[in-house]
Amino acid sequence: GLIKCNFEKNTGIIVKFKIPIEDNKDKETTIKIFSSGKINIVGSNSLEDSIKIRQIIISLIYFNKDDILYIKN
């Protein structure tokens, strides 16, 4: 997978990883996670895959929130 973070250009992070399909072994799915909490999943193979990806991202954030989230006081 690939994670990019450029806060001058984006207000979040971009995660890219390969989810191969029969017709395209190098197929990538892009997840954009914005500071507002919005998650965009681009290039998913199906709605079911998008739902699974969303749950994985939410779980990763939830179980690691103390390490990855910044709460402005």
Side-chain angles (χ1 to χ4, degrees):
L2 173 67
I3 298 175
K4 291 183 181 181
C5 187
N6 181 350
F7 291 112
E8 293 174 7
K9 186 176 178 184
N10 301 309
T11 59
I13 62 172
I14 297 173
V15 180
K16 291 187 177 196
F17 58 95
K18 291 185 180 181
I19 301 181
I21 58 174
E22 188 174 320
D23 297 340
N24 184 354
K25 300 297 182 200
D26 294 321
K27 173 107 171 71
E28 284 190 347
T29 298
T30 301
I31 300 106
K32 298 176 184 178
I33 306 169
F34 297 93
S35 59
S36 65
K38 182 177 179 180
I39 300 173
N40 285 354
I41 300 170
V42 180
S44 178
N45 298 326
S46 67
L47 176 60
E48 291 81 15
D49 283 352
S50 293
I51 291 169
K52 288 177 191 174
I53 291 167
R54 178 182 169 272
Q55 283 307 117
I56 290 168
I57 296 297
I58 289 171
S59 293
L60 286 171
I61 292 170
Y62 179 78
F63 289 111
N64 297 285
K65 64 185 171 206
D66 293 335
D67 297 321
I68 62 172
L69 296 180
Y70 170 76
I71 300 172
K72 193 175 184 178
N73 291 330

Coordinates of all heavy atoms in Angstrom, one line a residue:
G1 N 0.8 -1.2 0.0 CA 0.0 0.0 0.0 C 0.9 1.3 0.0 O 2.1 1.2 0.2
L2 N 0.2 2.3 -0.2 CA 0.9 3.6 -0.3 C 0.1 4.6 0.5 O -1.1 4.7 0.3 CB 1.1 4.1 -1.8 CG 1.6 5.4 -2.0 CD1 3.1 5.5 -1.6 CD2 1.5 5.8 -3.5
I3 N 0.7 5.4 1.3 CA 0.0 6.4 2.1 C 0.7 7.8 1.8 O 2.0 7.9 1.9 CB 0.1 6.2 3.6 CG1 -0.6 4.9 3.9 CG2 -0.5 7.3 4.4 CD1 -0.6 4.4 5.4
K4 N 0.0 8.8 1.4 CA 0.5 10.1 1.1 C -0.2 11.1 2.0 O -1.4 11.0 2.3 CB 0.2 10.5 -0.3 CG 1.0 9.7 -1.3 CD 0.7 10.3 -2.7 CE 1.4 9.5 -3.8 NZ 1.2 10.0 -5.1
C5 N 0.6 12.1 2.5 CA 0.0 13.1 3.3 C 0.7 14.4 2.9 O 1.9 14.6 3.1 CB 0.3 12.8 4.8 SG -0.5 13.9 5.9
N6 N -0.1 15.3 2.4 CA 0.4 16.7 2.0 C -0.6 17.7 2.5 O -1.6 18.0 1.8 CB 0.6 16.7 0.5 CG 1.1 18.1 0.0 OD1 1.2 19.0 0.8 ND2 1.5 18.2 -1.3
F7 N -0.4 18.2 3.7 CA -1.4 19.1 4.3 C -1.5 20.5 3.6 O -2.4 21.2 3.8 CB -1.2 19.2 5.8 CG -1.6 17.9 6.5 CD1 -0.6 17.2 7.1 CD2 -2.9 17.4 6.5 CE1 -0.9 16.0 7.7 CE2 -3.2 16.3 7.2 CZ -2.2 15.5 7.8
E8 N -0.5 20.8 2.8 CA -0.6 22.1 2.0 C -1.6 21.9 0.9 O -2.2 22.9 0.5 CB 0.8 22.4 1.5 CG 1.8 22.8 2.6 CD 3.2 23.0 2.1 OE1 3.4 23.0 0.9 OE2 4.1 23.2 2.9
K9 N -1.7 20.7 0.4 CA -2.6 20.5 -0.7 C -4.0 19.9 -0.3 O -5.0 20.2 -0.8 CB -2.0 19.6 -1.7 CG -2.7 19.4 -3.0 CD -1.9 18.5 -4.0 CE -2.7 18.3 -5.2 NZ -2.0 17.4 -6.2
N10 N -3.9 19.0 0.7 CA -5.1 18.3 1.1 C -5.3 18.5 2.6 O -4.3 18.7 3.4 CB -5.0 16.8 0.8 CG -4.8 16.5 -0.6 OD1 -5.6 17.0 -1.5 ND2 -3.8 15.8 -1.0
T11 N -6.5 18.3 3.1 CA -6.8 18.4 4.5 C -7.0 17.0 5.1 O -7.9 16.7 5.9 CB -8.0 19.3 4.8 OG1 -9.1 18.7 4.2 CG2 -7.8 20.7 4.4
G12 N -6.2 16.0 4.6 CA -6.4 14.7 5.1 C -5.3 13.8 4.5 O -4.2 14.3 4.2
I13 N -5.5 12.5 4.5 CA -4.5 11.6 3.9 C -5.1 10.8 2.8 O -6.3 10.7 2.7 CB -4.0 10.6 5.0 CG1 -5.1 9.7 5.6 CG2 -3.2 11.3 6.1 CD1 -4.6 8.6 6.5
I14 N -4.2 10.3 1.9 CA -4.6 9.5 0.8 C -3.9 8.1 1.0 O -2.7 8.1 1.1 CB -4.2 10.1 -0.5 CG1 -5.0 11.5 -0.7 CG2 -4.5 9.2 -1.7 CD1 -4.5 12.3 -1.9
V15 N -4.7 7.1 0.9 CA -4.2 5.7 1.0 C -4.5 5.0 -0.3 O -5.7 5.0 -0.7 CB -4.9 4.9 2.2 CG1 -4.3 3.5 2.3 CG2 -4.7 5.7 3.5
K16 N -3.5 4.4 -0.9 CA -3.8 3.6 -2.1 C -3.3 2.2 -1.9 O -2.2 2.0 -1.3 CB -3.0 4.2 -3.3 CG -3.5 5.5 -3.8 CD -2.8 6.0 -5.0 CE -3.4 7.3 -5.5 NZ -3.1 7.6 -6.8
F17 N -4.0 1.2 -2.4 CA -3.6 -0.1 -2.3 C -4.2 -0.9 -3.5 O -5.2 -0.6 -4.0 CB -3.8 -0.8 -1.0 CG -5.3 -0.8 -0.6 CD1 -6.1 -1.9 -0.8 CD2 -5.8 0.3 0.1 CE1 -7.4 -1.9 -0.4 CE2 -7.2 0.2 0.5 CZ -7.9 -0.9 0.2
K18 N -3.6 -2.0 -3.8 CA -4.0 -2.9 -4.9 C -5.0 -3.9 -4.5 O -4.9 -4.5 -3.4 CB -2.8 -3.6 -5.5 CG -1.9 -2.7 -6.3 CD -0.8 -3.5 -7.0 CE 0.1 -2.5 -7.7 NZ 1.2 -3.2 -8.4
I19 N -6.1 -3.9 -5.2 CA -7.1 -5.0 -5.1 C -7.3 -5.6 -6.5 O -8.1 -5.2 -7.3 CB -8.5 -4.4 -4.6 CG1 -8.3 -3.7 -3.3 CG2 -9.5 -5.6 -4.5 CD1 -9.6 -3.2 -2.7
P20 N -6.5 -6.6 -6.8 CA -6.5 -7.2 -8.1 C -7.8 -7.8 -8.5 O -8.5 -8.3 -7.7 CB -5.4 -8.3 -8.1 CG -4.7 -8.1 -6.8 CD -5.5 -7.3 -5.9
I21 N -8.2 -7.6 -9.8 CA -9.3 -8.3 -10.3 C -8.9 -9.0 -11.5 O -7.8 -8.9 -12.0 CB -10.4 -7.3 -10.7 CG1 -9.9 -6.2 -11.7 CG2 -11.0 -6.6 -9.4 CD1 -11.0 -5.3 -12.2
E22 N -9.7 -9.9 -12.1 CA -9.3 -10.8 -13.2 C -8.8 -10.0 -14.4 O -7.8 -10.4 -15.0 CB -10.5 -11.7 -13.6 CG -10.2 -12.7 -14.6 CD -11.3 -13.7 -14.8 OE1 -12.0 -14.0 -13.9 OE2 -11.5 -14.0 -16.0
D23 N -9.5 -8.9 -14.7 CA -9.1 -8.2 -15.9 C -7.9 -7.2 -15.7 O -7.3 -6.8 -16.7 CB -10.3 -7.3 -16.4 CG -11.5 -8.2 -16.8 OD1 -11.3 -9.4 -17.1 OD2 -12.6 -7.6 -16.9
N24 N -7.6 -6.9 -14.5 CA -6.6 -5.9 -14.2 C -5.9 -6.3 -12.9 O -6.4 -6.0 -11.8 CB -7.2 -4.5 -14.1 CG -6.1 -3.5 -13.9 OD1 -4.9 -3.7 -13.7 ND2 -6.6 -2.2 -13.9
K25 N -4.7 -6.9 -13.0 CA -4.0 -7.4 -11.8 C -3.4 -6.3 -11.0 O -3.0 -6.4 -9.8 CB -2.9 -8.4 -12.2 CG -3.4 -9.6 -12.9 CD -4.3 -10.5 -12.1 CE -4.7 -11.7 -12.8 NZ -5.9 -12.3 -12.3
D26 N -3.3 -5.1 -11.6 CA -2.7 -3.9 -10.9 C -3.7 -2.9 -10.5 O -3.4 -1.7 -10.2 CB -1.7 -3.2 -11.8 CG -0.5 -4.1 -12.1 OD1 0.0 -4.8 -11.2 OD2 0.0 -4.1 -13.2
K27 N -5.0 -3.3 -10.4 CA -6.1 -2.4 -10.0 C -5.8 -1.8 -8.6 O -5.5 -2.5 -7.7 CB -7.4 -3.2 -10.0 CG -8.6 -2.5 -9.5 CD -9.5 -2.1 -10.6 CE -10.8 -1.5 -10.1 NZ -10.7 -0.2 -9.5
E28 N -6.0 -0.5 -8.5 CA -5.8 0.2 -7.3 C -7.1 0.8 -6.8 O -7.9 1.3 -7.6 CB -4.8 1.3 -7.4 CG -3.3 0.9 -7.5 CD -2.4 2.0 -7.4 OE1 -2.8 3.2 -7.5 OE2 -1.2 1.8 -7.2
T29 N -7.2 0.8 -5.5 CA -8.3 1.5 -4.8 C -7.7 2.7 -4.0 O -6.7 2.5 -3.4 CB -9.1 0.6 -3.9 OG1 -9.7 -0.4 -4.7 CG2 -10.3 1.3 -3.2
T30 N -8.3 3.8 -4.1 CA -7.8 5.0 -3.4 C -8.8 5.4 -2.3 O -10.0 5.5 -2.6 CB -7.6 6.2 -4.3 OG1 -6.7 5.8 -5.4 CG2 -7.1 7.4 -3.6
I31 N -8.3 5.6 -1.1 CA -9.2 6.0 0.0 C -8.6 7.4 0.4 O -7.5 7.6 0.8 CB -9.1 5.1 1.2 CG1 -9.6 3.7 0.8 CG2 -10.0 5.6 2.4 CD1 -8.6 2.7 0.7
K32 N -9.5 8.4 0.5 CA -9.2 9.7 0.9 C -9.9 9.9 2.3 O -11.1 9.8 2.3 CB -9.6 10.8 -0.1 CG -9.0 10.6 -1.4 CD -9.5 11.7 -2.4 CE -8.9 11.5 -3.8 NZ -9.4 12.4 -4.8
I33 N -9.1 10.2 3.3 CA -9.7 10.4 4.6 C -9.4 11.9 5.0 O -8.2 12.3 5.1 CB -9.0 9.5 5.7 CG1 -9.1 8.0 5.2 CG2 -9.7 9.7 7.0 CD1 -8.3 7.1 6.0
F34 N -10.5 12.6 5.1 CA -10.3 14.1 5.4 C -10.4 14.4 6.8 O -11.0 13.6 7.6 CB -11.5 14.8 4.6 CG -11.4 14.7 3.1 CD1 -12.0 13.7 2.5 CD2 -10.6 15.5 2.4 CE1 -11.9 13.5 1.1 CE2 -10.5 15.4 1.0 CZ -11.1 14.4 0.4
S35 N -9.9 15.5 7.2 CA -9.9 15.9 8.7 C -11.3 16.1 9.2 O -11.5 16.0 10.4 CB -9.1 17.2 8.8 OG -9.6 18.2 8.1
S36 N -12.2 16.3 8.3 CA -13.6 16.4 8.7 C -14.3 15.1 9.2 O -15.3 15.0 9.7 CB -14.5 17.0 7.6 OG -14.5 16.1 6.5
G37 N -13.6 14.0 8.8 CA -14.1 12.7 9.1 C -14.7 12.0 7.9 O -15.0 10.8 7.9
K38 N -14.8 12.7 6.8 CA -15.4 12.2 5.5 C -14.3 11.2 4.9 O -13.1 11.5 4.9 CB -15.6 13.3 4.5 CG -16.3 12.9 3.3 CD -16.6 14.0 2.4 CE -17.2 13.6 1.1 NZ -17.5 14.7 0.2
I39 N -14.9 10.1 4.4 CA -14.0 9.1 3.8 C -14.6 8.9 2.3 O -15.7 8.6 2.2 CB -14.1 7.7 4.5 CG1 -13.6 7.9 5.9 CG2 -13.3 6.7 3.8 CD1 -13.8 6.7 6.8
N40 N -13.7 9.1 1.3 CA -14.0 8.8 0.0 C -13.3 7.6 -0.5 O -12.1 7.5 -0.3 CB -13.6 10.0 -1.0 CG -14.5 11.2 -0.8 OD1 -15.5 11.1 -0.2 ND2 -14.2 12.2 -1.5
I41 N -14.0 6.6 -1.1 CA -13.4 5.4 -1.6 C -13.6 5.5 -3.1 O -14.7 5.5 -3.6 CB -14.1 4.1 -1.0 CG1 -13.9 4.2 0.5 CG2 -13.5 2.9 -1.6 CD1 -14.7 3.1 1.3
V42 N -12.5 5.5 -3.8 CA -12.5 5.7 -5.3 C -11.9 4.4 -6.0 O -10.8 4.0 -5.6 CB -11.7 6.9 -5.7 CG1 -11.7 7.1 -7.2 CG2 -12.2 8.1 -5.0
G43 N -12.6 3.9 -6.9 CA -12.0 2.7 -7.7 C -12.3 1.4 -7.1 O -11.6 0.4 -7.4
S44 N -13.2 1.3 -6.2 CA -13.5 0.0 -5.6 C -14.2 -0.9 -6.6 O -14.8 -0.4 -7.5 CB -14.5 0.2 -4.4 OG -14.9 -1.0 -3.8
N45 N -14.1 -2.2 -6.4 CA -14.6 -3.2 -7.3 C -16.1 -3.3 -7.2 O -16.8 -3.7 -8.2 CB -13.9 -4.5 -7.2 CG -12.5 -4.5 -7.4 OD1 -12.0 -3.7 -8.3 ND2 -11.7 -5.2 -6.7
S46 N -16.7 -3.1 -6.0 CA -18.1 -3.2 -5.8 C -18.5 -2.5 -4.5 O -17.7 -2.1 -3.7 CB -18.4 -4.7 -5.6 OG -17.9 -5.2 -4.4
L47 N -19.8 -2.4 -4.3 CA -20.3 -1.8 -3.1 C -19.9 -2.6 -1.9 O -19.5 -2.0 -0.9 CB -21.9 -1.7 -3.2 CG -22.6 -1.1 -1.9 CD1 -22.1 0.3 -1.6 CD2 -24.1 -1.1 -2.1
E48 N -19.9 -3.9 -2.0 CA -19.6 -4.8 -0.9 C -18.1 -4.5 -0.5 O -17.8 -4.4 0.7 CB -19.8 -6.2 -1.2 CG -21.2 -6.6 -1.4 CD -21.8 -6.3 -2.7 OE1 -21.1 -6.0 -3.7 OE2 -23.1 -6.3 -2.8
D49 N -17.2 -4.4 -1.5 CA -15.8 -4.1 -1.2 C -15.7 -2.7 -0.5 O -14.9 -2.5 0.4 CB -15.0 -4.1 -2.5 CG -14.7 -5.5 -3.0 OD1 -15.0 -6.4 -2.3 OD2 -14.1 -5.6 -4.1
S50 N -16.4 -1.7 -1.0 CA -16.4 -0.4 -0.4 C -16.8 -0.4 1.1 O -16.2 0.2 1.9 CB -17.3 0.6 -1.2 OG -16.8 0.8 -2.4
I51 N -17.8 -1.2 1.4 CA -18.3 -1.3 2.7 C -17.3 -2.0 3.6 O -17.0 -1.6 4.7 CB -19.7 -2.1 2.8 CG1 -20.8 -1.2 2.2 CG2 -20.0 -2.5 4.2 CD1 -22.1 -2.0 1.9
K52 N -16.6 -3.1 3.1 CA -15.5 -3.7 3.8 C -14.4 -2.8 4.1 O -13.8 -2.7 5.2 CB -15.0 -5.0 3.1 CG -16.0 -6.1 3.1 CD -15.4 -7.2 2.2 CE -16.5 -8.3 2.0 NZ -16.0 -9.3 1.0
I53 N -14.0 -2.0 3.0 CA -12.9 -1.1 3.2 C -13.2 0.0 4.2 O -12.4 0.3 5.1 CB -12.5 -0.4 1.8 CG1 -11.9 -1.5 0.9 CG2 -11.6 0.8 2.0 CD1 -11.8 -1.0 -0.6
R54 N -14.4 0.5 4.2 CA -14.9 1.5 5.1 C -14.8 1.0 6.6 O -14.3 1.6 7.5 CB -16.3 1.9 4.8 CG -16.9 2.9 5.8 CD -18.3 3.3 5.4 NE -19.0 4.0 6.4 CZ -19.6 3.5 7.5 NH1 -19.7 2.2 7.6 NH2 -20.2 4.3 8.4
Q55 N -15.2 -0.3 6.8 CA -15.2 -0.9 8.1 C -13.7 -1.0 8.6 O -13.4 -0.8 9.8 CB -15.9 -2.2 8.1 CG -17.4 -2.1 8.2 CD -17.9 -1.1 9.3 OE1 -18.5 -0.1 9.1 NE2 -17.6 -1.5 10.5
I56 N -12.8 -1.4 7.7 CA -11.4 -1.6 8.0 C -10.8 -0.2 8.5 O -10.2 -0.1 9.5 CB -10.6 -2.2 6.9 CG1 -11.0 -3.7 6.7 CG2 -9.1 -2.1 7.1 CD1 -10.5 -4.3 5.4
I57 N -11.1 0.8 7.7 CA -10.6 2.1 8.0 C -11.1 2.6 9.3 O -10.4 3.1 10.2 CB -10.9 3.1 6.8 CG1 -10.2 2.7 5.5 CG2 -10.6 4.6 7.2 CD1 -8.7 2.7 5.6
I58 N -12.4 2.5 9.5 CA -13.1 2.9 10.8 C -12.5 2.2 12.0 O -12.1 2.8 13.0 CB -14.6 2.8 10.7 CG1 -15.2 3.8 9.8 CG2 -15.2 2.9 12.1 CD1 -16.6 3.7 9.5
S59 N -12.3 0.9 11.8 CA -11.7 0.1 12.9 C -10.2 0.5 13.2 O -9.8 0.6 14.3 CB -11.7 -1.4 12.5 OG -13.0 -1.9 12.5
L60 N -9.4 0.7 12.1 CA -8.1 1.2 12.3 C -8.0 2.5 13.1 O -7.2 2.7 14.0 CB -7.4 1.3 11.0 CG -7.0 0.0 10.3 CD1 -6.5 0.3 8.9 CD2 -5.9 -0.7 11.1
I61 N -8.9 3.4 12.7 CA -9.0 4.7 13.4 C -9.4 4.6 14.8 O -8.8 5.1 15.7 CB -9.9 5.7 12.6 CG1 -9.2 6.1 11.2 CG2 -10.1 7.0 13.4 CD1 -10.2 6.8 10.3
Y62 N -10.5 3.8 15.0 CA -11.0 3.6 16.4 C -9.9 3.0 17.3 O -9.7 3.5 18.4 CB -12.2 2.8 16.3 CG -12.8 2.5 17.7 CD1 -13.6 3.5 18.3 CD2 -12.6 1.3 18.4 CE1 -14.1 3.3 19.6 CE2 -13.1 1.1 19.7 CZ -13.8 2.1 20.3 OH -14.3 1.9 21.5
F63 N -9.3 1.9 16.9 CA -8.4 1.2 17.8 C -7.0 1.9 17.9 O -6.2 1.6 18.8 CB -8.2 -0.2 17.3 CG -9.4 -1.1 17.6 CD1 -10.2 -1.5 16.5 CD2 -9.8 -1.3 18.9 CE1 -11.3 -2.3 16.8 CE2 -11.0 -2.1 19.1 CZ -11.7 -2.6 18.1
N64 N -6.8 2.9 17.1 CA -5.5 3.7 17.1 C -5.7 5.2 17.3 O -4.8 5.9 17.1 CB -4.7 3.4 15.9 CG -4.3 2.0 15.7 OD1 -3.4 1.5 16.4 ND2 -5.0 1.2 14.9
K65 N -6.9 5.6 17.8 CA -7.2 7.0 17.8 C -6.3 7.8 18.7 O -6.0 8.9 18.4 CB -8.7 7.1 18.2 CG -9.0 6.6 19.6 CD -10.5 6.7 19.9 CE -10.8 6.0 21.2 NZ -12.2 5.5 21.2
D66 N -5.8 7.2 19.8 CA -4.9 8.0 20.7 C -3.6 8.3 20.0 O -3.0 9.3 20.4 CB -4.7 7.2 22.0 CG -6.0 7.1 22.8 OD1 -6.9 7.9 22.7 OD2 -6.1 6.1 23.6
D67 N -3.2 7.5 19.1 CA -1.9 7.7 18.4 C -2.0 8.5 17.1 O -1.1 9.1 16.7 CB -1.3 6.3 18.0 CG -1.0 5.5 19.3 OD1 -0.5 6.1 20.2 OD2 -1.2 4.3 19.2
I68 N -3.2 8.5 16.5 CA -3.3 9.1 15.2 C -4.2 10.4 15.1 O -4.1 11.1 14.2 CB -3.8 8.1 14.1 CG1 -5.2 7.6 14.4 CG2 -2.8 7.0 13.9 CD1 -5.8 6.7 13.3
L69 N -5.1 10.6 16.1 CA -6.0 11.7 16.0 C -5.4 12.9 16.9 O -4.9 12.7 18.0 CB -7.4 11.3 16.5 CG -8.1 10.3 15.7 CD1 -9.5 10.1 16.3 CD2 -8.3 10.8 14.3
Y70 N -5.5 14.0 16.3 CA -5.1 15.3 17.0 C -6.4 16.1 17.3 O -7.2 16.4 16.4 CB -4.2 16.1 16.1 CG -4.0 17.5 16.7 CD1 -3.1 17.7 17.8 CD2 -4.6 18.6 16.1 CE1 -2.9 18.9 18.3 CE2 -4.4 19.9 16.6 CZ -3.5 20.0 17.7 OH -3.3 21.3 18.2
I71 N -6.6 16.3 18.6 CA -7.8 17.1 19.0 C -7.4 18.4 19.5 O -6.6 18.6 20.4 CB -8.6 16.3 20.1 CG1 -9.0 15.0 19.6 CG2 -9.8 17.2 20.6 CD1 -9.7 14.1 20.6
K72 N -7.8 19.5 18.7 CA -7.4 20.8 19.0 C -8.2 21.3 20.2 O -9.4 21.2 20.3 CB -7.7 21.7 17.8 CG -7.1 23.0 17.9 CD -7.3 23.8 16.6 CE -6.6 25.1 16.5 NZ -6.8 25.8 15.2
N73 N -7.5 21.8 21.3 CA -8.1 22.3 22.5 C -8.5 23.8 22.3 O -7.9 24.6 21.7 CB -7.3 22.2 23.7 CG -7.1 20.7 24.0 OD1 -8.0 19.9 23.8 ND2 -6.0 20.3 24.6

